[in-house]
Amino acid sequence: AGLAPSAGEAAFVFADFKASMADSSDDEGGHEDEGSDDGEGKHKLSKRQKKAAKAAAAEEVRRREAEQVEGRWANDPRSVEDFERLLLTEGDTSIVWIRYMAFHLKMSDLEKARHVAERAVKHVGFTDAHERFNAWVAYLNLECTFGTEDTADAVFKRAATHNEPREIHLQLARIHER
């Protein structure tokens, strides 16, 4: 009998705290009455809490489904899946790729950011030189900031062959200027 109230007390620390504050004069007698009468109340409260937790989980699922319908992932991607889905629809724009690289950097995953940068420079607009230039500049920034001198130099040489060399040289100067 002594174990059951302990388990109930551990589960409802805040409820017991409030009860003990209200019945501060009757700690012994009040506690025995609470154990016999409120044991069922605590059990009912536990069922209500379980029901409330299920309702909250169902509400979270409904909220996520609503976000999917609204296309929240397109405006504010928060996961790898969101970015990959966004790349399927807007893969020719450099800003999506740059945000995806930044997402991986925020998660402290440099290798995945490099992988995304490689994919970006291979995929982004062969028709739009400006988008292609932006992707290469982002990759160059990534390597100059987080990579070695050798990796930065290799990316710079590749960028100079795929873009206007003068613009890439000027951009590298701006990067080193900061």
Side-chain angles (χ1 to χ4, degrees):
L3 295 176
S6 296
E9 287 175 8
F12 301 99
V13 173
F14 295 110
D16 287 342
F17 179 74
K18 289 178 185 175
S20 67
M21 291 297 289
D23 298 332
S24 60
S25 62
D26 299 333
D27 282 348
E28 292 289 322
H31 187 59
E32 288 176 0
D33 288 342
E34 285 177 20
S36 62
D37 292 340
D38 289 335
E40 293 176 17
K42 287 181 183 179
H43 192 281
K44 289 179 184 175
L45 187 61
S46 178
K47 285 181 180 177
R48 274 189 247 137
Q49 285 181 340
K50 287 180 183 177
K51 188 175 181 180
K54 285 182 182 178
E59 181 60 32
E60 177 67 18
V61 169
R62 281 193 293 273
R63 185 187 63 78
R64 285 185 183 171
E65 288 173 351
E67 286 178 353
Q68 294 295 335
V69 171
E70 293 171 2
R72 189 250 343 131
W73 57 269
N75 298 325
D76 185 24
R78 297 180 189 163
S79 68
V80 172
E81 293 81 19
D82 289 348
F83 277 104
E84 290 296 332
R85 193 174 316 136
L86 188 57
L87 287 174
L88 291 174
T89 59
E90 299 179 31
D92 290 334
T93 59
S94 59
I95 189 66
V96 175
W97 291 97
I98 294 168
R99 288 175 61 197
Y100 195 14
M101 284 184 253
F103 170 78
H104 283 301
L105 288 175
K106 194 183 333 180
M107 298 297 169
S108 301
D109 198 343
L110 182 59
E111 286 307 312
K112 285 186 180 175
R114 281 186 173 130
H115 179 71
V116 169
E118 277 295 330
R119 286 176 56 200
V121 297
K122 290 177 182 174
H123 184 81
V124 169
F126 290 103
T127 57
D128 190 358
H130 184 68
E131 294 292 328
R132 184 178 60 241
F133 178 76
N134 288 342
W136 278 104
V137 168
Y139 194 10
L140 194 57
N141 271 316
L142 177 77
E143 289 302 333
C144 287
T145 305
F146 299 105
T148 64
E149 193 172 318
D150 292 336
T151 59
D153 190 46
V155 170
F156 170 74
K157 288 177 182 174
R158 286 178 56 207
T161 61
H162 290 87
N163 294 283
E164 183 64 40
R166 180 178 179 272
E167 292 299 318
I168 294 295
H169 279 85
L170 290 173
Q171 190 61 43
L172 183 64
R174 287 187 205 107
I175 291 169
H176 286 299
E177 188 177 67
R178 288 184 248 155

